[in-house]
Amino acid sequence: MSGVRSSITSCCRHEKDVNTSKMNTLFLSLLVAVVAAERLPLSYDAPAPHTSSPVQQIPIIRDERVHPAADGIYSFDVETGDGIVRSESGGPGGAQQGTVSFTFPDGQIFNLQFVADVNGYQPQSPFLPVAPAFPHPIPAHALEQIERGRLELEARAREEQRQSSSQGQAAPVRHYGQPQ
């Protein structure tokens, strides 16, 4: 009996040591977190510039703005020293039009004109992708599926017609075709 008692006592001591160790670890972690939090500067300033890579300041050559008037008319024209040009104007009802241009690193000049009105956003540029011409040819497998569906509908209509004529009354039609 004393052997069981000593193993229980030993087990309880081990459990107590583990709990104490966990508490000490938790306390030490919290202490480190508090100390680290006190050392962090609370600043909402812009990040400090990196000295390893100098930042090139691009001058703004032109910045002409007409802020929105009561009727919604506005405009702006901005041009930067690296060749970016942006112009936009708008009026009552939310209609807008404008242009954007800049030079790619390879020397190509990108131009985009746009209108945004009740018909949506309508950009125009030779750099925008162009959709394939429509109607494009329908693939053979799609034509086969269309024909298969047409034949199935015709067969179903014939079966419904046969059933309604054999019963002596017209059954409701599930699928309606083109008017004759």
Side-chain angles (χ1 to χ4, degrees):
M1 186 70 144
S2 73
V4 172
R5 185 177 289 165
S6 67
S7 66
I8 291 175
T9 306
S10 164
C11 179
C12 290
R13 272 192 218 136
H14 176 68
E15 191 174 306
K16 196 175 195 181
D17 291 341
V18 169
N19 287 339
T20 303
S21 176
K22 286 182 182 178
M23 289 294 287
N24 288 340
T25 304
L26 178 64
F27 178 75
L28 184 60
S29 299
L30 288 173
L31 183 64
V32 168
V34 168
V35 168
E38 286 183 11
R39 291 188 181 191
L40 293 176
L42 293 178
S43 173
Y44 296 102
D45 296 333
H50 295 283
T51 57
S52 61
S53 60
V55 175
Q56 180 185 5
Q57 296 290 325
I58 308 296
I60 296 177
I61 297 170
R62 184 181 66 208
D63 187 356
E64 300 169 2
R65 299 171 188 258
V66 175
H67 293 285
D71 59 359
I73 294 174
Y74 76 95
S75 68
F76 67 84
D77 290 305
V78 177
E79 183 176 356
T80 63
D82 61 353
I84 298 173
V85 179
R86 174 86 160 86
S87 300
E88 184 176 316
S89 63
Q96 301 170 346
Q97 58 276 337
T99 62
V100 176
S101 68
F102 60 87
T103 304
F104 285 110
D106 66 359
Q108 292 185 77
I109 297 176
F110 174 86
N111 286 311
L112 174 95
Q113 295 80 36
F114 69 89
V115 173
D117 57 16
V118 295
N119 297 319
Y121 179 70
Q122 304 149 46
Q124 294 180 353
S125 173
F127 287 90
L128 296 177
V130 178
F134 194 81
H136 53 78
I138 299 174
H141 70 277
L143 291 172
E144 291 169 6
Q145 290 294 318
I146 292 169
E147 180 63 16
R148 182 176 173 187
R150 187 185 66 76
L151 294 172
E152 286 177 1
L153 285 175
E154 286 178 359
R156 190 177 298 143
R158 282 193 303 273
E159 180 62 26
E160 289 174 354
Q161 181 67 30
R162 187 185 63 73
Q163 286 179 355
S164 67
S165 64
S166 67
Q167 294 174 353
Q169 59 183 358
V173 179
R174 287 190 207 139
H175 302 284
Y176 297 94
Q178 294 180 345
Q180 266 78 24

mmCIF file of all heavy atoms in Angstrom, residues 38-56:
data_model
loop_
_atom_site.group_PDB
_atom_site.id
_atom_site.type_symbol
_atom_site.label_atom_id
_atom_site.label_comp_id
_atom_site.label_asym_id
_atom_site.label_seq_id
_atom_site.Cartn_x
_atom_site.Cartn_y
_atom_site.Cartn_z
ATOM 1 N N GLU A 38 6.675 48.312 -25.010
ATOM 2 C CA GLU A 38 7.077 49.617 -24.516
ATOM 3 C C GLU A 38 8.166 50.226 -25.380
ATOM 4 O O GLU A 38 8.277 51.439 -25.488
ATOM 5 C CB GLU A 38 7.560 49.514 -23.068
ATOM 6 C CG GLU A 38 6.432 49.327 -22.086
ATOM 7 C CD GLU A 38 6.929 49.304 -20.639
ATOM 8 O OE1 GLU A 38 8.101 49.632 -20.412
ATOM 9 O OE2 GLU A 38 6.126 48.965 -19.783
ATOM 10 N N ARG A 39 8.978 49.417 -26.021
ATOM 11 C CA ARG A 39 10.082 49.933 -26.818
ATOM 12 C C ARG A 39 9.657 50.325 -28.230
ATOM 13 O O ARG A 39 10.377 51.044 -28.899
ATOM 14 C CB ARG A 39 11.192 48.897 -26.907
ATOM 15 C CG ARG A 39 11.863 48.700 -25.583
ATOM 16 C CD ARG A 39 13.055 47.845 -25.742
ATOM 17 N NE ARG A 39 13.687 47.652 -24.442
ATOM 18 C CZ ARG A 39 14.844 47.122 -24.268
ATOM 19 N NH1 ARG A 39 15.516 46.694 -25.314
ATOM 20 N NH2 ARG A 39 15.350 46.981 -23.076
ATOM 21 N N LEU A 40 8.492 49.841 -28.724
ATOM 22 C CA LEU A 40 8.060 50.179 -30.068
ATOM 23 C C LEU A 40 7.576 51.622 -30.110
ATOM 24 O O LEU A 40 6.750 52.030 -29.302
ATOM 25 C CB LEU A 40 6.914 49.255 -30.522
ATOM 26 C CG LEU A 40 7.280 47.799 -30.718
ATOM 27 C CD1 LEU A 40 6.030 46.998 -31.069
ATOM 28 C CD2 LEU A 40 8.306 47.650 -31.818
ATOM 29 N N PRO A 41 8.107 52.413 -31.029
ATOM 30 C CA PRO A 41 7.627 53.792 -31.123
ATOM 31 C C PRO A 41 6.245 53.802 -31.783
ATOM 32 O O PRO A 41 6.009 53.125 -32.780
ATOM 33 C CB PRO A 41 8.674 54.463 -32.017
ATOM 34 C CG PRO A 41 9.229 53.351 -32.851
ATOM 35 C CD PRO A 41 9.160 52.124 -31.980
ATOM 36 N N LEU A 42 5.350 54.553 -31.210
ATOM 37 C CA LEU A 42 4.016 54.691 -31.778
ATOM 38 C C LEU A 42 4.018 55.953 -32.624
ATOM 39 O O LEU A 42 3.870 57.062 -32.115
ATOM 40 C CB LEU A 42 2.956 54.769 -30.685
ATOM 41 C CG LEU A 42 2.787 53.496 -29.875
ATOM 42 C CD1 LEU A 42 1.756 53.686 -28.776
ATOM 43 C CD2 LEU A 42 2.369 52.349 -30.773
ATOM 44 N N SER A 43 4.227 55.785 -33.907
ATOM 45 C CA SER A 43 4.300 56.917 -34.807
ATOM 46 C C SER A 43 3.523 56.586 -36.065
ATOM 47 O O SER A 43 3.597 55.480 -36.580
ATOM 48 C CB SER A 43 5.759 57.204 -35.153
ATOM 49 O OG SER A 43 5.821 58.187 -36.151
ATOM 50 N N TYR A 44 2.809 57.540 -36.555
ATOM 51 C CA TYR A 44 2.051 57.358 -37.786
ATOM 52 C C TYR A 44 2.650 58.186 -38.911
ATOM 53 O O TYR A 44 1.993 58.554 -39.851
ATOM 54 C CB TYR A 44 0.583 57.729 -37.555
ATOM 55 C CG TYR A 44 -0.068 56.823 -36.558
ATOM 56 C CD1 TYR A 44 -0.281 57.222 -35.251
ATOM 57 C CD2 TYR A 44 -0.427 55.530 -36.918
ATOM 58 C CE1 TYR A 44 -0.857 56.373 -34.335
ATOM 59 C CE2 TYR A 44 -1.004 54.670 -36.005
ATOM 60 C CZ TYR A 44 -1.221 55.103 -34.707
ATOM 61 O OH TYR A 44 -1.795 54.259 -33.813
ATOM 62 N N ASP A 45 3.924 58.474 -38.806
ATOM 63 C CA ASP A 45 4.622 59.219 -39.847
ATOM 64 C C ASP A 45 4.922 58.302 -41.026
ATOM 65 O O ASP A 45 4.857 57.084 -40.920
ATOM 66 C CB ASP A 45 5.942 59.790 -39.311
ATOM 67 C CG ASP A 45 5.703 60.805 -38.196
ATOM 68 O OD1 ASP A 45 4.613 61.418 -38.197
ATOM 69 O OD2 ASP A 45 6.584 60.964 -37.341
ATOM 70 N N ALA A 46 5.292 58.913 -42.130
ATOM 71 C CA ALA A 46 5.692 58.135 -43.302
ATOM 72 C C ALA A 46 6.943 57.336 -42.962
ATOM 73 O O ALA A 46 7.746 57.760 -42.129
ATOM 74 C CB ALA A 46 5.972 59.070 -44.473
ATOM 75 N N PRO A 47 7.104 56.177 -43.563
ATOM 76 C CA PRO A 47 8.303 55.384 -43.271
ATOM 77 C C PRO A 47 9.566 56.136 -43.678
ATOM 78 O O PRO A 47 9.564 56.930 -44.612
ATOM 79 C CB PRO A 47 8.111 54.117 -44.099
ATOM 80 C CG PRO A 47 7.053 54.430 -45.077
ATOM 81 C CD PRO A 47 6.252 55.563 -44.546
ATOM 82 N N ALA A 48 10.618 55.863 -42.963
ATOM 83 C CA ALA A 48 11.894 56.500 -43.250
ATOM 84 C C ALA A 48 12.398 56.033 -44.609
ATOM 85 O O ALA A 48 12.226 54.870 -44.975
ATOM 86 C CB ALA A 48 12.908 56.156 -42.162
ATOM 87 N N PRO A 49 13.013 56.927 -45.381
ATOM 88 C CA PRO A 49 13.514 56.511 -46.702
ATOM 89 C C PRO A 49 14.665 55.529 -46.561
ATOM 90 O O PRO A 49 15.436 55.587 -45.614
ATOM 91 C CB PRO A 49 13.985 57.827 -47.331
ATOM 92 C CG PRO A 49 14.193 58.753 -46.195
ATOM 93 C CD PRO A 49 13.265 58.317 -45.085
ATOM 94 N N HIS A 50 14.728 54.623 -47.513
ATOM 95 C CA HIS A 50 15.817 53.646 -47.540
ATOM 96 C C HIS A 50 17.041 54.316 -48.151
ATOM 97 O O HIS A 50 16.967 54.886 -49.236
ATOM 98 C CB HIS A 50 15.431 52.412 -48.363
ATOM 99 C CG HIS A 50 14.301 51.644 -47.768
ATOM 100 N ND1 HIS A 50 14.457 50.823 -46.692
ATOM 101 C CD2 HIS A 50 12.987 51.589 -48.100
ATOM 102 C CE1 HIS A 50 13.297 50.281 -46.375
ATOM 103 N NE2 HIS A 50 12.383 50.738 -47.224
ATOM 104 N N THR A 51 18.135 54.245 -47.459
ATOM 105 C CA THR A 51 19.356 54.869 -47.973
ATOM 106 C C THR A 51 20.051 53.995 -49.002
ATOM 107 O O THR A 51 20.885 54.471 -49.748
ATOM 108 C CB THR A 51 20.330 55.168 -46.813
ATOM 109 O OG1 THR A 51 20.599 53.951 -46.117
ATOM 110 C CG2 THR A 51 19.738 56.189 -45.864
ATOM 111 N N SER A 52 19.696 52.696 -49.062
ATOM 112 C CA SER A 52 20.369 51.800 -50.000
ATOM 113 C C SER A 52 19.944 52.075 -51.439
ATOM 114 O O SER A 52 20.713 51.858 -52.360
ATOM 115 C CB SER A 52 20.088 50.343 -49.635
ATOM 116 O OG SER A 52 18.703 50.093 -49.714
ATOM 117 N N SER A 53 18.718 52.523 -51.665
ATOM 118 C CA SER A 53 18.268 52.832 -53.017
ATOM 119 C C SER A 53 17.677 54.237 -53.023
ATOM 120 O O SER A 53 16.622 54.467 -52.441
ATOM 121 C CB SER A 53 17.243 51.814 -53.499
ATOM 122 O OG SER A 53 16.122 51.821 -52.660
ATOM 123 N N PRO A 54 18.328 55.173 -53.671
ATOM 124 C CA PRO A 54 17.825 56.546 -53.662
ATOM 125 C C PRO A 54 16.495 56.636 -54.413
ATOM 126 O O PRO A 54 16.291 55.969 -55.423
ATOM 127 C CB PRO A 54 18.917 57.338 -54.373
ATOM 128 C CG PRO A 54 19.667 56.339 -55.173
ATOM 129 C CD PRO A 54 19.544 55.030 -54.448
ATOM 130 N N VAL A 55 15.612 57.459 -53.902
ATOM 131 C CA VAL A 55 14.306 57.662 -54.513
ATOM 132 C C VAL A 55 14.413 58.858 -55.451
ATOM 133 O O VAL A 55 14.886 59.923 -55.059
ATOM 134 C CB VAL A 55 13.232 57.924 -53.431
ATOM 135 C CG1 VAL A 55 11.903 58.250 -54.078
ATOM 136 C CG2 VAL A 55 13.115 56.738 -52.511
ATOM 137 N N GLN A 56 13.979 58.644 -56.669
ATOM 138 C CA GLN A 56 14.027 59.726 -57.638
ATOM 139 C C GLN A 56 12.728 60.515 -57.533
ATOM 140 O O GLN A 56 11.648 59.955 -57.670
ATOM 141 C CB GLN A 56 14.191 59.157 -59.044
ATOM 142 C CG GLN A 56 14.252 60.217 -60.119
ATOM 143 C CD GLN A 56 14.298 59.617 -61.517
ATOM 144 O OE1 GLN A 56 14.191 58.403 -61.678
ATOM 145 N NE2 GLN A 56 14.456 60.453 -62.506
#
